[in-house]
Amino acid sequence: MTASGTIARVLLVGFMGSGKTLVGQALARRLGWAFRDFDQEVRFRVGLPIPEIFRQHGEAHFREMERVVGAELLQEERVVLATGGGWPADIGRMDALPPGTLTIWLKVTPEEAIRRAREEGPTRPLLAVPDPVERARELLGDRERFYRKADRALDSEGGTPEELAREIETIMISTGRENAPSASA
Ligand code: S3P
């Protein structure tokens, strides 16, 4: 995490379908903090759904937007941030986070990620391939070394979003959070 031990923001990383958005929303509610989602912000700024951004502008444009949005949102405080699954997979990115950032890796298996992605419909262009489980295995294999840099890892299949949020809150308290309501309660 950081030098001072004061947590200003929680950054959730993990593969597509790991529950970053649901857990992040639940955690933000518990803390009374804001919730911000990188993908949602990119969608809003470009004015298109993610698959359309990939289709019309290409993945490189999406990645650039994601980089810009990520750098901006990481300046906010008292905020829970849900990254897109590919955001951490850039050399040095997980090593250059602003002070006060607690990073949590929500782990998910490729099979469960694909099961959840199917439930949500065709929102993930990278998984729109004939064998999405194989694709998820490859991507996860490439990205694990980046996700692994997070301060803590939680099994996303180990509880409901509310339960996982509660676990993260406990981690925050035990790592010395000073500026959120339940730490001083
Ligand atoms: C991506 C993950 C997606 C979204 C885009 C690319 C990735 O976000 O950013 O489709 O490269 O893993 P979620 O992890 O929220 O699904």
Side-chain angles (χ1 to χ4, degrees), residues 16 20 39 50 54 62-63 66 84-86 124-126 143:
M16 293 174 262
K20 300 179 294 287
D39 280 353
I50 304 285
F54 272 68
F62 170 80
R63 295 296 173 202
E66 185 183 45
R124 277 126 174 164
L126 293 181
R143 291 174 177 178

Side-chain angles (χ1 to χ4, degrees), residues 24-35 77-80 169 172 177 179-182:
Q25 286 169 337
L27 179 62
R29 262 196 313 274
R30 292 187 71 82
L31 300 172
W33 285 10
F35 170 74
E77 299 198 343
R78 296 176 69 85
V79 65
V80 180
E169 195 181 14
M172 293 174 75
R177 177 163 57 94
N179 57 347
S182 50

Side-chain angles (χ1 to χ4, degrees), residues 130-146:
D131 188 346
V133 174
E134 187 48 34
R135 179 86 175 111
R137 281 196 194 109
E138 286 166 12
L139 282 170
L140 200 51
D142 291 343
R143 291 174 177 178
E144 234 174 57
R145 67 193 170 107
F146 298 103

Side-chain angles (χ1 to χ4, degrees), residues 53-70:
I53 301 176
F54 272 68
R55 202 178 65 77
Q56 293 185 25
H57 301 287
E59 181 174 352
H61 180 72
F62 170 80
R63 295 296 173 202
E64 176 57 12
M65 289 300 297
E66 185 183 45
R67 184 188 68 75
V68 169
V69 159

